[in-house]
């Protein structure tokens, strides 16, 4: 069939574009089409490494999973990773290009347009339907010139647009009408339908407003999607996820530190699937509680975030937990912070050249100019007692994204033997554990997605508390996500006029 494309844009950030796009990737896949997502430019600290070792936005990986296809860096050719309030690391086609200020990037965008168009065209030749996602709002009139992610992208792809508004935040009719008003006449012609998202209540009450909105904007409302709760990774859910208090009163408490430059927070979503785990994110200004496991996550600016931990008083709280025998885990940047010293001779991440770490692991890290981006398969090496007892030999897999090289001292035990890297058989080492087995560091993002490993650790904690061991309620994290994608697709399908969606897709209106 001739390639079709459909684009979802929103009246603002966090209106649900990413999940609606994922939903339609799964719906079209269920209907027998080969589907791929596409977002020309994504700004996010949540990224993923493809099997080729290329870095892309994790939201498009989720959408690819929903479409039942392999993540491909062409689905997100431009990734912006904020390094400070004014600068971003610019990643093009999966590789680091350079750090740029907002103004430098804006001036650079005309050079990107041809690359983005060629990437989209290349992807389009392999799929029946491309589902595009915009960014923020198309009504940012100060950014209209050189736009390559909203209406500029829709024009490049010749894609019809469906506009999404979030009623839960209030003012949905004004935001939808105002967005349409600020578009050019040509851009307005491209908008073929409206979706009202996150509605709570009786839709009958909304119908008079929908009729008035349609009279004003001359665009049909294709459906009203109710507020839903699906456990799918969503870039827009970052703030909401950090503030949520998950399942209070459960037997095992896991806390994750909020960091100013936190990255890859989805490493810990798996804990939400375990019915005996209470997951809490420790926000700025909050105290660490009394968790069984404390996790220091990845960071886009490790030294600056370590400074935050020290100046906020969190460092003393971490050391106290350690003295009480609780499990302290560091992932990627968090692993580096747990060491004795960090060195940044090239100013790779910060203007601070050296800093003492928390000293809980006998390691030192030197930041290098080259970023490591790779998928890995590994197995746990050491035979340990306590919280990590019984993990020896367990298989784990995930991916690495880091610019630091960590060397181990005599008081550290290597944690993982990497046996496969980017599809090739290797014999490499990763991470380490202290001799007491209650401090663990690794570069492997997604290590907790490996259910046998995670359940073994949780059950060791249960036994120490005098509780019976417990199995996982899910077969695998991937199987759990599959069920959630189907749930999301069903919710959207039941509340959208799919006949009109296909008419729009086929260019019939």
């Amino acid at each position: 069939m001739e390639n079709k494309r459909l684009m979802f844009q929103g009246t603002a950030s966090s209106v649900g574009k990413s999940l609606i796009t994922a939903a339609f990737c799964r719906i079209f896949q269920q209907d027998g089409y080969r589907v791929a997502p596409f977002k020309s430019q994504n700004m996010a600290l949540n990224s993923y490494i493809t099997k080729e070792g290329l870095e892309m936005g994790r939201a498009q990986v989720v959408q690819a999973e929903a479409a039942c296809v392999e993540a491909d860096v062409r689905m997100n050719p431009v990734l912006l990773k904020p390094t400070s309030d004014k600068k971003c690391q610019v990643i093009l086609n999966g590789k680091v290009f350079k750090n740029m200020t907002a103004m430098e990037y804006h001036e650079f965008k005309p050079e990107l347009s041809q690359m983005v168009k060629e990437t989209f065209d290349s992807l389009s030749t392999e799929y029946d339907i491309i589902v595009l996602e915009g960014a923020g709002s198309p009504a940012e009139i100060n950014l209209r010139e050189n736009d390559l992610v909203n209406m500029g992208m829709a024009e490049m792809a010749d894609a019809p647009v469906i506009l999404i508004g979030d009623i839960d935040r209030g003012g949905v009719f004004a935001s939808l009408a105002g967005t349409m008003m600020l578009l050019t006449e040509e851009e307005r012609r491209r908008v073929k339908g409206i979706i009202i998202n996150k509605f709570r209540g009786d839709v009958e009450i909304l119908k008079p407003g929908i009729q008035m909105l349609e009279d004003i904007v001359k665009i049909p409302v294709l459906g009203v999607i109710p507020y839903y709760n699906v456990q799918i990774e969503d870039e827009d859910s970052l703030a909401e996820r950090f503030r949520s208090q998950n399942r209070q009163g459960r037997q095992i408490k896991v806390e994750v530190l909020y960091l100013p430059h936190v990255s890859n927070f989805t490493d810990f979503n798996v804990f939400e699937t375990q019915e005996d785990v209470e997951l809490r994110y420790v926000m700025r200004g909050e105290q660490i509680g009394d968790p069984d496991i404390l996790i220091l996550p990845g960071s886009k600016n490790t030294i600056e975030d370590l400074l935050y931990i020290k100046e906020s008083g969190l460092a003393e709280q971490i050391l106290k937990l350690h003295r009480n025998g609780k499990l302290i885990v560091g992932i990627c940047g968090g692993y580096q912070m747990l060491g004795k010293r960090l060195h940044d001779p090239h100013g790779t991440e910060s203007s601070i050249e050296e800093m003492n770490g928390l000293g809980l692991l006998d390691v030192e890290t030197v930041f290098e100019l080259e970023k490591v981006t790779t998928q890995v398969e590994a197995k746990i090496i050491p035979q340990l007692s306590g919280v990590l007892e019984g993990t020896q030999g367990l298989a784990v897999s995930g991916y690495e994204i880091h610019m630091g090289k960590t060397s181990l001292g005599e008081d550290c035990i290597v944690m993982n033997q990497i046996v496969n890297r980017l599809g090739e058989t290797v014999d490499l080492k990763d991470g380490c554990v202290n001799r007491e087995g209650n401090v663990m560091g690794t570069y492997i993002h997604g290590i907790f997605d490996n259910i046998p490993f995670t359940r073994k650790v949780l059950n060791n904690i249960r036994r120490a508390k005098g509780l019976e061991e417990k199995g996982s309620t899910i077969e695998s994290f991937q199987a759990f996500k599959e069920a959630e994608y189907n749930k999301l697709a069903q919710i959207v399908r039941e509340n959208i006029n799919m006949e009109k969606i296909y008419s729009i897709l086929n260019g019939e209106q």
Side-chain angles (χ1 to χ4, degrees):
M1 65 172 282
E2 180 186 353
N3 174 268
K4 308 290 185 183
R5 58 282 311 262
L6 182 65
M7 187 170 197
F8 291 95
Q9 298 184 17
T11 57
S13 297
S14 303
V15 301
K17 296 184 295 294
S18 295
L19 283 184
I20 295 292
T21 300
F24 277 96
C25 283
R26 176 52 60 102
I27 287 169
F28 292 143
Q29 185 274 334
Q30 290 172 338
D31 289 352
Y33 297 99
R34 183 164 167 78
V35 191
F38 182 86
K39 186 169 184 174
S40 56
Q41 171 194 298
N42 195 350
M43 178 177 282
L45 285 174
N46 236 22
S47 60
Y48 177 81
I49 302 303
T50 69
K51 65 180 182 181
E52 297 85 9
L54 301 173
E55 188 173 5
M56 62 184 288
R58 200 165 173 98
Q60 280 60 65
V61 176
V62 167
Q63 292 159 0
E65 285 184 343
C68 299
V69 295
E70 184 79 34
D72 184 324
V73 76
R74 291 176 298 171
M75 298 169 183
N76 174 216
V78 182
L79 176 62
L80 306 177
K81 301 186 78 172
T83 56
S84 67
D85 291 343
K86 296 182 179 179
K87 277 197 168 186
C88 278
Q89 183 182 74
V90 179
I91 297 168
L92 303 181
N93 288 317
K95 292 290 186 182
V96 174
F97 177 62
K98 63 163 69 171
N99 286 353
M100 304 178 87
T101 65
M103 184 55 69
E104 287 170 341
Y105 178 72
H106 186 65
E107 293 172 353
F108 177 62
K109 280 197 289 186
E111 298 180 43
L112 287 178
S113 293
Q114 186 61 33
M115 180 273 284
V116 167
K117 177 69 164 59
E118 290 173 358
T119 303
F120 176 82
D121 289 344
S122 170
L123 191 69
S124 298
T125 62
E126 300 174 20
Y127 294 90
D128 302 325
I129 300 173
I130 304 292
V131 186
L132 297 91
E133 179 189 346
S137 162
E140 305 289 354
I141 52 179
N142 58 311
L143 300 176
R144 174 177 283 135
E145 186 180 2
N146 303 327
D147 171 59
L148 51 77
V149 68
N150 284 308
M151 284 300 178
M153 186 63 233
E155 182 178 347
M156 278 192 275
D158 192 21
V161 172
I162 294 175
L163 185 64
I164 301 169
D166 176 4
I167 195 169
D168 191 55
R169 63 170 55 191
V172 70
F173 295 124
S175 62
L176 287 163
T179 297
M180 293 298 296
M181 183 186 76
L182 290 173
L183 299 179
T184 66
E185 184 176 341
E186 184 179 350
E187 290 169 342
R188 283 195 291 270
R189 284 198 297 269
R190 197 170 283 283
V191 181
K192 302 299 183 182
I194 287 170
I195 291 175
I196 295 176
N197 196 23
K198 305 181 188 178
F199 179 67
R200 306 175 194 251
D202 185 349
V203 74
E204 291 298 319
I205 298 173
L206 206 59
K207 285 184 176 178
I210 290 173
Q211 183 62 59
M212 286 186 276
L213 176 68
E214 289 178 333
D215 290 344
I216 293 167
V217 300
K218 313 301 181 190
I219 302 292
V221 174
L222 304 177
V224 178
I225 301 183
Y227 198 96
Y228 49 83
N229 179 27
V230 292
Q231 294 188 45
I232 295 174
E233 298 172 17
D234 177 18
E235 197 65 46
D236 289 343
S237 72
L238 174 60
E240 183 178 332
R241 181 178 297 279
F242 274 142
R243 286 174 172 80
S244 68
Q245 302 297 312
N246 175 269
R247 294 186 174 132
Q248 294 187 31
R250 302 283 170 156
Q251 297 101 329
I252 298 177
K253 294 177 170 54
V254 177
E255 294 191 1
V256 181
L257 286 190
Y258 169 85
L259 298 173
H261 304 93
V262 65
S263 64
N264 293 79
F265 66 92
T266 50
D267 283 346
F268 318 112
N269 288 5
V270 66
F271 287 115
E272 296 180 5
T273 70
Q274 302 302 300
E275 63 180 22
D276 56 345
V277 173
E278 175 186 317
L279 178 63
R280 172 185 173 233
Y281 291 89
V282 182
M283 297 297 294
R284 185 186 293 267
E286 294 181 347
Q287 301 285 304
I288 297 171
D290 186 27
D292 300 291
I293 304 174
L294 178 72
I295 302 174
L296 282 66
S299 166
K300 190 65 191 71
N301 194 323
T302 305
I303 290 182
E304 293 286 351
D305 281 351
L306 177 58
L307 184 63
Y308 159 77
I309 287 173
K310 292 181 175 183
E311 291 181 343
S312 64
L314 291 171
E316 290 86 348
Q317 297 171 47
I318 294 169
L319 296 176
K320 182 180 178 182
L321 276 179
H322 171 62
R323 289 193 296 270
N324 291 337
K326 300 302 177 71
L327 178 62
I328 312 293
V329 177
I331 307 292
C332 198
Y335 168 33
Q336 297 165 348
M337 294 179 206
L338 291 176
K340 289 186 172 179
R341 196 148 180 84
L342 296 84
H343 308 264
D344 192 0
H346 309 291
T348 303
E349 287 200 355
S350 170
S351 59
I352 302 172
E353 290 188 11
E354 291 189 9
M355 182 178 288
N356 286 332
L358 297 172
L360 296 183
L361 289 174
D362 185 14
V363 301
E364 291 202 14
T365 297
V366 178
F367 292 100
E368 301 179 330
L369 295 174
E370 192 74 19
K371 181 186 279 193
V372 175
T373 57
T374 180
Q375 287 188 5
V376 296
E377 296 175 7
K379 63 180 180 181
I380 310 292
I381 297 174
Q383 184 171 351
L384 298 163
S385 58
V387 182
L388 296 174
E389 181 181 351
T391 59
Q392 183 185 30
L394 287 178
V396 294
S397 62
Y399 56 97
E400 298 180 52
I401 313 173
H402 58 94
M403 301 186 79
K405 186 174 183 179
T406 300
S407 56
L408 277 59
E410 294 181 356
D411 289 334
C412 257
I413 304 169
V414 176
M415 181 177 174
N416 301 310
Q417 178 189 7
I418 297 176
V419 296
N420 190 295
R421 197 176 200 185
L422 293 178
E424 295 185 1
T425 301
V426 295
D427 182 8
L428 302 170
K429 303 297 186 285
D430 162 74
C432 75
V433 182
N434 68 340
R435 296 196 178 277
E436 294 76 23
N438 63 353
V439 183
M440 163 192 142
T442 177
Y443 277 118
I444 300 178
H445 290 284
I447 191 169
F448 289 111
D449 290 357
N450 300 274
I451 297 296
F453 169 73
T454 300
R455 267 318 324 168
K456 179 63 72 173
V457 173
L458 296 176
N459 278 327
N460 286 340
I461 293 171
R462 291 182 68 86
R463 280 205 318 275
K465 291 185 162 194
L467 301 169
E468 291 184 2
E469 291 193 13
K470 196 175 188 68
S472 175
T473 52
I474 61 171
E475 176 186 346
S476 70
F477 194 40
Q478 188 58 43
F480 172 80
K481 289 193 288 184
E482 277 297 303
E484 292 297 295
Y485 291 136
N486 287 334
K487 176 181 171 183
L488 173 65
Q490 182 177 352
I491 292 168
V492 172
R493 192 191 285 271
E494 289 176 350
N495 291 280
I496 289 288
N497 188 328
M498 286 303 301
E499 185 177 340
K500 285 188 177 179
I501 289 287
Y502 275 110
S503 293
I504 293 168
L505 191 66
N506 292 321
E508 296 168 5
Q509 66 178 65

